[in-house]
Amino acid sequence: MTNETKYNQMYPRSGRSAALSPGTTAPDFTLQSTPDQTVSLSDFRGQPIVLVFYPADWSPVCGDQVTLYNEILPEFQSLGAELVGISVDGAWCHAAFSRDRKLHFPLLADFEPKGEVARLYGVYRQGDGVSERALFVVDAEGNIHWSHVSPIGVNPGAAGILAALEDLQEKKQQNQGEQKKGEKQEKEEAVK
Amino acid sequence: MKTETSSIPASKLTVPAAGRDHIQGPIDAPMTLLEYGDYECPFCGAAYPIVKAVQQSLGDDLCFAFRNFPLTNMHPHAEHAAEAAEAAGAQARFWEMHDTLYENQTALDDKDLARYAAELGLDVPRLMSEVETGNHRGRIREDFMAGVRSGVNGTPTFFVNGVRHDAGYDYDVLIAALLETAPKHA
């Protein structure tokens, strides 16, 4: 039986959700990252962040998905971005999962009230009690730049995330270029 | 910013790239099978004899290429194993090392790698020094990122005639996919 079939049997009760779309302000949240630490979305203001919603720790596809992102983390960081995982599992469960998979990015516990952040982003599977397998790239100003909801049993990989982050970086460089041009013109006009 | 330039042309991301990839079979064979694999991954180990059987069955009609996709946090020996295969490749014996590694997946520490190099009659000090200094790390990372960009999401991932193969990798499934999607002769 493929993973996709397994997932469809395990989480049969919810249709596809309507995820927040690009251009929307990313709702702020504060969640536990360890039993004694919290992380807020606003902590990342000023740099892009990738939000990785996934159904559950330990389940097979998530394992592959977080393992993959763990390997690609240096590329995400070289594009100026950070990455966090979010599921309805509790902080102690995340701690054990993260240690087992040697993860170098935080897993946030959307645990109480259960799935509240997933609901805010429109990716909670009400009947199944878990979040969709959904990706959001939030830009430095806190707006959603790109989002993707994958079928629950399908690992979406990282090509879409990388393309979105590169797009953000290109825009930033263009803006900087225009800013410099603007400053240069101002200076020239001042000299005249 | 475009990230580091790759020696794999964009048009060759999902098919074997001549002069760059490790290939078996003619580069202009009518069918191509490209594997992204990790030497310590048990699923890749399970796929290894199947790929061999597929190659045997299709002969010169198939070009098979292998690219590295080591999941180094999960598999502590995967990176050095990949480097040993590339270092063997620098001595023109890539495939012998590739096969040895897949046939000995549970013994992949540095001592084992040196032993395999000796058994294959390679220059062991050269190979081990290349592994230790990470001479081939850049190429391995290039393989990895090419995979990520073309949608590889775990190991093994196969591309059959240039298209990601999402069905299983049983012998019958692979053979059927290769034959069904083979470009038709004019």
Side-chain angles (χ1 to χ4, degrees), chain A residues 87-103:
Chain A
S87 79
V88 296
D89 298 283
W92 293 104
C93 183
H94 275 338
F97 182 55
S98 179
R99 197 166 48 239
D100 183 75
R101 303 292 155 98
K102 301 186 177 65
L103 300 184

Side-chain angles (χ1 to χ4, degrees), chain B residues 90-166:
Chain B
Q91 298 182 43
R93 304 288 293 279
F94 172 81
W95 289 106
E96 289 90 332
M97 185 61 90
H98 167 277
D99 291 0
T100 303
L101 296 173
Y102 274 127
E103 285 159 21
N104 297 275
Q105 279 198 300
T106 53
L108 295 178
D109 68 25
D110 284 3
K111 271 187 201 151
D112 297 318
L113 300 178
R115 182 161 51 84
Y116 303 145
E119 284 167 8
L120 292 172
L122 298 173
D123 177 342
V124 180
R126 178 182 158 196
L127 183 135
M128 289 314 290
S129 115
E130 288 182 10
V131 168
E132 275 150 27
T133 55
N135 269 28
H136 304 283
R137 206 170 289 158
R139 181 202 169 98
I140 293 166
R141 194 68 186 167
E142 187 179 283
D143 279 2
F144 186 91
M145 288 313 297
V148 167
R149 281 174 196 287
S150 33
V152 172
N153 55 12
T155 51
T157 292
F158 290 98
F159 287 85
V160 167
N161 297 324
V163 176
R164 194 177 76 190
H165 177 73
D166 290 333

Side-chain angles (χ1 to χ4, degrees), chain A residues 63-110:
Chain A
D64 285 341
Q65 197 186 354
V66 296
T67 301
L68 179 70
Y69 296 165
N70 205 29
E71 295 289 336
I72 306 168
L73 205 55
E75 266 71 23
F76 294 145
Q77 288 168 341
S78 79
L79 291 162
E82 289 298 335
L83 181 131
V84 298
I86 305 175
S87 79
V88 296
D89 298 283
W92 293 104
C93 183
H94 275 338
F97 182 55
S98 179
R99 197 166 48 239
D100 183 75
R101 303 292 155 98
K102 301 186 177 65
L103 300 184
H104 302 296
F105 59 86
L107 298 180
L108 308 185
D110 194 9

Side-chain angles (χ1 to χ4, degrees), chain A:
Chain A
M1 190 166 37
T2 66
N3 278 332
E4 195 171 357
T5 322
K6 256 186 249 171
Y7 271 91
N8 290 336
Q9 287 179 0
M10 205 163 22
Y11 302 120
R13 285 175 287 276
S14 309
R16 292 287 283 278
S17 331
L20 292 185
S21 43
T24 318
T25 303
D28 197 19
F29 57 78
T30 300
L31 291 173
Q32 273 188 303
S33 59
T34 68
D36 54 7
Q37 281 175 309
T38 61
V39 165
S40 299
L41 179 65
S42 51
D43 297 344
F44 297 92
R45 193 57 61 84
Q47 69 179 132
I49 176 165
V50 185
L51 307 179
V52 180
F53 287 90
Y54 61 98
D57 288 346
W58 304 108
S59 55
V61 177
C62 311
D64 285 341
Q65 197 186 354
V66 296
T67 301
L68 179 70
Y69 296 165
N70 205 29
E71 295 289 336
I72 306 168
L73 205 55
E75 266 71 23
F76 294 145
Q77 288 168 341
S78 79
L79 291 162
E82 289 298 335
L83 181 131
V84 298
I86 305 175
S87 79
V88 296
D89 298 283
W92 293 104
C93 183
H94 275 338
F97 182 55
S98 179
R99 197 166 48 239
D100 183 75
R101 303 292 155 98
K102 301 186 177 65
L103 300 184
H104 302 296
F105 59 86
L107 298 180
L108 308 185
D110 194 9
F111 181 71
E112 176 59 34
K114 190 185 177 196
E116 188 182 38
V117 175
R119 281 174 225 264
L120 279 175
Y121 281 77
V123 293
Y124 191 65
R125 292 172 70 98
Q126 187 71 41
D128 294 322
V130 296
S131 83
E132 294 283 3
R133 197 176 292 286
L135 301 170
F136 293 88
V137 170
V138 177
D139 68 17
E141 287 75 44
N143 298 312
I144 294 171
H145 178 70
W146 176 81
S147 65
H148 173 78
V149 180
S150 181
I152 194 152
V154 176
N155 177 350
I161 302 176
L162 283 174
L165 291 175
E166 280 168 355
D167 186 37
L168 278 178
Q169 195 162 58
E170 256 169 44
K171 280 196 180 138
K172 186 176 159 191
Q173 279 168 346
Q174 275 172 4
N175 285 344
Q176 280 171 346
E178 275 164 27
Q179 231 169 21
K180 269 190 196 154
K181 231 197 252 166
E183 281 166 22
K184 205 176 156 195
Q185 273 174 354
E186 273 172 35
K187 269 188 202 160
E188 281 170 359
E189 276 162 26
V191 170
K192 279 178 199 166

